[in-house]
Amino acid sequence: MGERRGPRSTGVRIPSEKITVPGTTPTLITRERLHAALDTAAAQPVTLVCAPAGYGKTMLLAAWVLTTGSPVAWVRVDGDDNDPRHLWHAVRSALLATGAVQEPALASLAVPPGDIAAPEAQTRVVLVLDGLEALNDPLALHGLELLIRHQPAWLRLVLASRRDPPLQLYRLRLACLLHEIREEALRFTEAETAELLREYGLEPAPRDLARLMRLTEGWPAGLRLAAVSMRLAPDPSAFIAGFSGDERSVADYLAGEILSRSPPAEREFLLRTSVCERLSAELASALTGRHDAAAMLDRLYRGNVLISRSGPGAAWHRYHALLRSHLYAELRRRHPRTVPELHRIAADWYEAHDLPVEAVRQALAASDLARASTLMERHATGLVMSGRGGTVRRLLEELPEPAMIAEPGLLLAAALADLDAGDVVSGSRHLALHARTEPHPADPRVRALRQIARLKRARMGGSLSEALHIAETISLGALEGDDLSALAMADRGMVHVELGHLGQGKAGLESALTIAVRRGLDHLTAQCMSCLAAVAAAECSFARAAHLGEEAAAFALARGWERTALCAPAYEAAAWAELQQADSALAERYSRLARQSVRGQADPSMEFGARMVGAVTAYELGERHQGLLDLRRAWAGCADRPLMPELVAFGAVAEVEMALTAGRHPWAVEALERARVRLDGSAETTVLEAAVLAARGQGESARSALRRALDGSAEPVVVSTLIEAWLLEARLCATYGEEPRAAHALREAVELAGPRQALRPFRVSAPGLRKLLVRSLPGTGPLEPFATEVLRIMPNGGETAAAVTLTPRETALLQQLPSLLTLEEIAADLFVSVNTLKTHLRSIYRKLQVGCRRDAVASAREQGLL
């Protein structure tokens, strides 16, 4: 073995390997993000790289050393360095070996403690102390403290350790002189994992790669051990499916690098607590019988034994998945009879602390099916309403059918969870099984739960009349004080909404929302919020619909539900509202989310709504032919399935408009006939008939057909249809030269649209009416700002005006003319004299070819100057 001696012998022999940068492995990948972090860190006096065993600290630093431009001194710290003479002789030898530091500069490093000199060097030198967890001698640590405190300007320290070293680094941390790279940063990303596996000749499928990431949590050692074994495995995919901490190479590593360093009492603690995925100090105490469980957990955490903290006050601890699976396998080998008892203790603790999911899992692990069934029957419905329906379904899959039949209420909870997930087939099967097991339940709560599940199934199957009948049979009085009352109100409200009974539906949803918020039933809260957004859109309260849709989406996003069918009504409402408010970009965003959220959804109205808003949005964004085709396909996909009347009205009016604009008159007639079938006798059918007749040049017949909508003989399903009716009336009157009647019709349209912020009808249904609106604008009163916004988005109808060029001063004056300010007040506002203002005003009149202020405003609006 090669050796180096310090220039002044102290009898200490330093092996060359101790102060040589370790070699890198052939499969080492370059982790650019970490190299960049180390480059940044090297500007600070001290860098701490701290993580448990197997996080690749040494290999990372060794690879980085090859890329850094500074001389690097490397010391591999071990137990011998608890002799201060040995440590500092190694440091001196490593620094001298760089060639950048001379002997006189290091005289004070001979045997600390003592004052550390601050010698000069020609260049910056990095000193890496690797494996610092081995250092525990107070004198050696004190010497290192002194070096840090009196660190020469040319020296940069990099400390690599499995645990936080007992040094006063907080001073540096407070002074922002310490750079830290910890476990989170050292974990492999999915891209780095894929690159590592390629180095081993492996190309796993995306699903297998994702599973491997979940199992290893990005732990570099675990990934390398898995890669080595996968390369030898006949079926790498099957290997990943069964990979755990009990796999031999992983088990050997964990036993040798982590558990072998733990004292017996600590290892026993780890084994007994491995039955739980997460631990509090109190739960650990119950499992181990130790009163010092909190201190033990803290010691394990600070010792970086692959354990993490989470929750308020970092009260919960969790072992790394591979470590826990290894410990649990070892527990079952060494103490097989103890395992069920530990699971029962954990189930007791979780149940007492109102953590039903964890309690059920522990009961199942203890093979106590009766207890698991009882717990599930008691809590499943609440879990579904809180958004954990998927968890309920997974837990129920572990219960055999006889255990579920023994708790008939559990079959209904299973049906509820199935239907909540959109699985009508499984939901129906569980309902049928309950009907055979308990045909006439005596418990009023169980009866109500069965009716709620049947109601959901009927709704999802499109049987709305049956759903309404079932809804009316649910006795809310029997559920007073029960969370099920909120669920019943919500489902009853949704049935009314889908049938077009918006008032009743809205009242039920608002009542359910109040209870859900008070009880913390987040999933039901999100569902009610989403449906109320849809109600606002159906009422043509478009600004409110956009606001409620955004609120519901934000609430769902915060809980990870943004891509579920739960959000579809909110997305559809927001998309339609933004379309009506002429914001196509926002509409496109929400319509895309709506389409994503209804994939695999059985609810016909929800599916049609998503496709309809997507088609109209595409049309508005210029994909006119495709948008029209998509809307026709949306209708074809519904066939004879019942749809919410308001959706039918919105879709039918939009399709006729789009078809007529595209010159597809037969398609417009098809849409009209479809509306007659679904909305017979409504104002929508008369307005669409008038639109088709007008497009054929049959103006008088169109006006005759339109009259029933305008005089109230035919009630509209949605108010926006009346806006379309008045705009069509204005166009027809203008065609016949009846300008006063046309202006009246246009004002009626503005008065209906203004409070609802319905801009879109003016853009798609009012060609040629811009001049008429300009002349009518002064009579719109409080709605004048809305009418001005309408002018901004209205088409010019093919009319062109001579280009008018105004000076900046004239433009500023023109902007003031629509106000109620006097010329004297405008002059003061623009900091000019009244005479100068009048000169500019005369120039504006001349350019616009008008003779008064009112006509100047009208002309400027008509030409798009205002």
Side-chain angles (χ1 to χ4, degrees):
M1 181 183 294
E3 299 175 351
R4 291 184 184 271
R5 288 181 177 269
R8 293 187 300 169
S9 178
T10 59
V12 177
R13 299 165 67 85
I14 304 297
S16 59
E17 292 83 356
K18 183 177 178 68
I19 58 172
T20 301
V21 177
T24 57
T25 64
T27 55
L28 182 72
I29 66 168
T30 302
R31 305 177 74 186
E32 297 288 354
R33 62 185 178 87
L34 293 178
H35 284 202
L38 285 166
D39 288 337
T40 302
Q44 300 284 20
V46 179
T47 299
L48 175 63
V49 182
C50 186
Y55 270 87
K57 302 178 291 297
T58 299
M59 285 298 97
L60 170 67
L61 291 171
W64 172 69
V65 163
L66 298 176
T67 65
T68 184
S70 301
V72 175
W74 187 287
V75 176
R76 189 178 304 176
V77 180
D78 55 35
D80 291 341
D81 294 313
N82 284 299
D83 177 349
R85 294 180 306 163
H86 195 280
L87 172 65
W88 297 110
H89 197 74
V91 169
R92 291 173 67 250
S93 298
L95 288 168
L96 288 171
T98 65
V101 185
Q102 302 303 314
E103 165 63 27
L106 300 175
S108 59
L109 288 180
V111 186
D115 290 336
I116 304 298
E120 294 300 322
Q122 297 299 315
T123 185
R124 184 176 68 185
V125 178
V126 177
L127 171 60
V128 178
L129 297 180
D130 184 31
L132 203 62
E133 70 277 356
L135 208 62
N136 53 42
D137 178 75
L139 195 58
L141 289 166
H142 179 62
L144 187 53
E145 287 272 14
L146 289 174
L147 177 60
I148 293 171
R149 192 178 306 165
H150 303 287
Q151 191 168 331
W154 52 266
L155 184 63
R156 295 291 181 267
L157 276 175
V158 178
L159 311 177
S161 178
R162 292 185 178 184
R163 61 184 67 89
D164 281 277
L167 302 170
Q168 295 183 0
L169 297 179
Y170 66 89
R171 299 177 186 273
L172 295 173
R173 193 175 288 119
L174 289 172
C176 298
L177 298 176
L178 174 68
H179 193 100
E180 299 176 77
I181 298 176
R182 293 187 172 271
E183 177 181 339
E184 283 298 321
L186 292 170
R187 286 177 179 160
F188 268 54
T189 64
E190 190 165 301
E192 289 169 342
T193 300
E195 184 181 350
L196 172 69
L197 295 177
R198 281 195 293 272
E199 290 295 322
Y200 284 90
L202 299 165
E203 287 279 356
R207 184 176 61 180
D208 290 336
L209 179 60
R211 177 173 174 78
L212 187 61
M213 288 297 295
R214 286 196 304 273
L215 290 169
T216 62
E217 301 177 25
W219 182 39
L223 287 167
R224 288 190 179 279
L225 293 170
V228 171
S229 298
M230 282 171 65
R231 187 167 57 177
L232 302 175
D235 184 349
S237 181
F239 172 83
I240 291 175
F243 186 61
S244 73
D246 202 33
E247 199 275 330
R248 181 169 180 176
S249 60
V250 177
D252 289 346
Y253 185 91
L254 292 170
E257 291 294 325
I258 295 177
L259 300 179
S260 66
R261 299 167 185 259
S262 302
E266 194 172 279
R267 288 200 298 273
E268 187 66 20
F269 180 93
L270 287 165
L271 287 174
R272 292 181 68 88
T273 53
S274 67
V275 296
C276 295
E277 289 188 12
R278 60 178 191 150
L279 289 162
S280 69
E282 187 181 341
L283 174 55
S285 181
L287 290 167
T288 63
R290 296 181 66 111
H291 299 297
D292 64 344
M296 179 71 81
L297 285 170
D298 187 64
R299 188 157 58 248
L300 288 167
Y301 173 74
R302 295 187 184 281
N304 267 353
V305 185
L306 290 177
I307 184 171
S308 58
R309 284 176 170 174
S310 62
W316 288 97
H317 297 72
R318 189 181 70 83
Y319 300 149
H320 188 285
L322 290 179
L323 174 62
R324 179 173 173 260
S325 63
H326 169 73
L327 290 169
Y328 188 64
E330 185 67 14
L331 175 68
R332 294 178 68 179
R333 279 192 293 267
R334 292 174 55 185
H335 308 296
R337 295 182 181 178
T338 305
V339 174
E341 180 59 27
L342 290 173
H343 283 301
R344 280 192 286 272
I345 292 170
D348 290 341
W349 191 92
Y350 282 127
E351 183 179 4
H353 289 79
D354 196 26
L355 295 167
V357 171
E358 290 84 350
V360 171
R361 285 177 177 150
Q362 292 296 327
L364 288 170
S367 299
D368 191 345
L369 299 182
R371 184 177 188 185
S373 300
T374 301
L375 285 167
M376 283 299 296
E377 195 279 332
R378 190 182 306 155
H379 296 286
T381 304
L383 289 170
V384 172
M385 287 189 283
S386 299
R388 304 189 71 180
T391 300
V392 169
R393 296 187 82 199
R394 286 190 293 273
L395 289 173
L396 290 177
E397 286 174 0
E398 298 185 43
L399 282 175
E401 197 168 273
M404 295 180 68
I405 291 173
E407 294 282 355
L410 191 53
L411 292 168
L412 295 176
L416 193 65
D418 292 333
L419 295 168
D420 183 69
D423 187 347
V424 179
V425 174
S426 296
S428 299
R429 184 174 62 82
H430 282 123
L431 273 171
L433 189 56
H434 178 268
R436 291 198 300 271
T437 304
E438 192 180 21
H440 305 292
D443 186 340
R445 186 179 186 278
V446 175
R447 286 202 304 271
L449 181 57
R450 182 165 72 175
Q451 293 300 84
I452 291 169
R454 291 181 61 226
L455 186 160
K456 281 183 175 293
R457 182 182 60 181
R459 273 188 55 236
M460 296 177 71
S463 304
L464 297 183
S465 57
E466 179 189 352
L468 182 61
H469 172 72
I470 296 170
E472 299 301 333
T473 66
I474 299 173
S475 174
L476 293 177
L479 296 175
E480 190 172 353
D482 194 302
D483 289 349
L484 274 182
S485 63
L487 187 59
M489 288 179 193
D491 277 306
R492 180 183 291 183
M494 283 183 274
V495 171
H496 280 298
V497 168
E498 289 170 355
L499 287 168
H501 311 153
L502 297 184
Q504 291 170 275
K506 185 177 179 180
L509 287 166
E510 287 176 341
S511 298
L513 178 61
T514 300
I515 298 172
V517 170
R518 187 170 66 243
R519 301 281 180 86
L521 305 173
D522 284 0
H523 195 261
L524 188 59
T525 296
Q527 191 172 38
C528 291
M529 291 173 70
S530 190
C531 290
L532 285 169
V535 170
E539 292 175 334
C540 297
S541 300
F542 297 122
R544 177 171 170 76
H547 172 71
L548 291 179
E550 185 178 353
E551 273 195 339
F555 186 87
L557 176 63
R559 290 153 181 80
W561 302 331
E562 69 277 8
R563 294 298 176 91
T564 64
L566 178 76
C567 297
Y571 293 147
E572 292 167 17
W576 190 250
E578 297 298 351
L579 277 173
Q580 302 311 307
Q581 296 178 107
D583 192 333
S584 299
L586 261 181
E588 197 278 332
R589 175 193 164 208
Y590 281 118
S591 66
R592 184 175 65 253
L593 289 169
R595 292 193 301 275
Q596 291 171 349
S597 66
V598 299
R599 286 173 184 162
Q601 173 55 239
D603 186 287
S605 285
M606 204 180 290
E607 185 178 348
F608 174 77
R611 298 180 69 179
M612 187 263 288
V613 295
V616 178
T617 301
Y619 180 88
E620 289 293 305
L621 290 172
E623 299 177 25
R624 301 206 157 190
H625 181 67
Q626 188 61 51
L628 181 54
L629 284 177
D630 288 346
L631 185 49
R632 286 173 59 80
R633 288 176 184 138
W635 286 113
C638 291
D640 297 326
R641 299 167 75 187
L643 295 174
M644 184 177 170
E646 288 76 11
L647 276 178
V648 174
F650 287 143
V653 171
E655 186 180 9
V656 169
E657 288 171 348
M658 293 158 65
L660 292 177
T661 303
R664 300 279 191 166
H665 289 216
W667 289 3
V669 173
E670 284 182 33
L672 169 60
E673 293 306 317
R674 195 183 298 115
R676 282 179 173 151
V677 170
R678 290 181 178 265
L679 303 174
D680 187 35
S682 68
E684 277 72 19
T685 58
T686 63
V687 173
L688 295 182
E689 181 183 358
V692 170
L693 290 169
R696 290 174 175 168
Q698 300 172 254
E700 287 297 336
S701 297
R703 295 179 74 177
S704 177
L706 198 56
R707 195 164 295 118
R708 291 188 66 244
L710 298 178
D711 65 13
S713 301
E715 288 287 331
V717 175
V718 291
V719 178
S720 59
T721 303
L722 285 185
I723 302 172
E724 306 273 358
W726 283 113
L727 287 172
L728 180 55
E729 170 76 355
R731 283 169 49 203
L732 292 170
C733 290
T735 301
Y736 286 96
E738 301 172 4
E739 187 167 311
R741 292 185 65 179
H744 168 75
L746 191 54
R747 282 195 295 273
E748 290 285 347
V750 169
E751 287 177 7
L752 276 172
R756 296 168 175 83
Q757 292 297 299
L759 290 166
R760 183 176 180 274
F762 293 88
R763 186 170 66 214
V764 300
S765 304
L769 295 180
R770 200 172 194 283
K771 282 187 176 181
L772 182 61
L773 182 58
V774 168
R775 290 193 289 273
S776 305
L777 195 58
T780 54
L783 290 174
E784 186 167 335
F786 174 76
T788 303
E789 186 65 12
V790 167
L791 278 177
R792 184 184 65 80
I793 59 99
M794 275 183 79
N796 282 318
E799 301 164 2
T800 58
V804 174
T805 304
L806 301 179
T807 67
R809 182 67 73 181
E810 290 167 353
T811 301
L813 172 56
L814 182 63
Q815 298 293 330
Q816 299 273 23
L817 292 185
S819 71
L820 299 178
L821 297 176
T822 65
L823 291 181
E824 289 77 11
E825 290 170 329
I826 294 174
D829 191 45
L830 296 178
F831 300 101
V832 298
S833 68
V834 175
N835 287 335
T836 300
L837 187 78
K838 288 180 177 178
T839 300
H840 292 315
L841 192 58
R842 284 194 294 271
S843 176
I844 291 173
Y845 289 172
R846 184 177 68 257
K847 291 178 179 180
L848 295 177
Q849 300 179 3
V850 297
C852 67
R853 180 174 175 175
R854 175 179 175 178
D855 288 348
V857 171
S859 178
R861 281 176 170 152
E862 191 173 328
Q863 298 181 54
L865 298 173
L866 277 176

